């Protein structure tokens, strides 16, 4: 028995970590469609309010809340992936222990 096959989950964890860092930098590519729509709506509303010379506080708050929601979503995904990885490793360890204990002695 070799090592447990966690490459695909490790790859997903790495990808999700990259997405999380991108969201924290303010990039839009890792956002899902509803988050993108909310960001674009807030940007359009904010630019309209700037054009009229009014306050953009509400739109800025919307942008911050969408960013926080994306960070929360990605953090939950990372946590779920880590739990799944631990489950795979634990199952492998149990199978290996069972195989060792049921030796030919």
């Amino acid at each position: 028995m070799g090592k447990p096959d966690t490459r695909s989950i490790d790859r997903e964890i790495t990808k999700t970590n990259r997405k999380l860092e991108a969201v924290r930098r303010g990039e839009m590519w890792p956002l899902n469609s509803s988050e993108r729509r909310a960001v674009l709506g807030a940007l359009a509303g904010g630019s309209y309010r700037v054009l009229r010379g009014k306050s953009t506080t509400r739109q800025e708050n919307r942008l911050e809340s969408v960013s926080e929601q994306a960070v929360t979503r990605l953090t939950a995904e990372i946590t779920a992936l880590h739990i799944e990885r631990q489950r795979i490793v634990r199952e492998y360890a149990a199978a290996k222990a069972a195989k060792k204990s049921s030796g030919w002695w």
Side-chain angles (χ1 to χ4, degrees):
M1 292 182 86
K3 295 181 178 179
D5 188 19
T6 58
R7 285 183 301 223
S8 62
I9 290 183
D10 290 338
R11 193 169 33 252
E12 286 296 319
I13 289 171
T14 305
K15 189 184 344 177
T16 308
N17 277 328
R18 279 198 319 259
K19 286 181 181 181
L20 182 61
E21 291 305 313
V23 167
R24 287 184 177 151
R25 284 192 306 266
E27 297 177 18
M28 283 193 53
W29 66 266
L31 301 178
N32 61 26
S33 62
S34 64
E35 292 165 346
R36 280 192 191 131
R37 222 176 8 257
V39 166
L40 292 176
L43 288 175
S47 61
Y48 178 78
R49 304 236 346 145
V50 164
L51 198 65
R52 298 290 177 214
K54 298 183 179 180
S55 171
T56 60
T57 306
R58 183 179 298 152
Q59 285 76 20
E60 289 172 359
N61 289 341
R62 270 181 72 194
L63 286 172
E64 288 176 17
S65 70
V66 168
S67 175
E68 289 171 8
Q69 289 171 358
V71 167
T72 303
R73 176 180 57 85
L74 291 170
T75 304
E77 282 183 26
I78 290 172
T79 303
L81 288 169
H82 278 293
I83 290 170
E84 180 65 18
R85 186 182 191 284
Q86 279 302 113
R87 184 190 63 78
I88 290 171
V89 169
R90 207 173 312 120
E91 284 179 2
Y92 172 79
K96 187 173 181 179
K99 184 179 177 187
K100 276 191 170 185
S101 68
S102 67
W104 57 276
W105 289 104

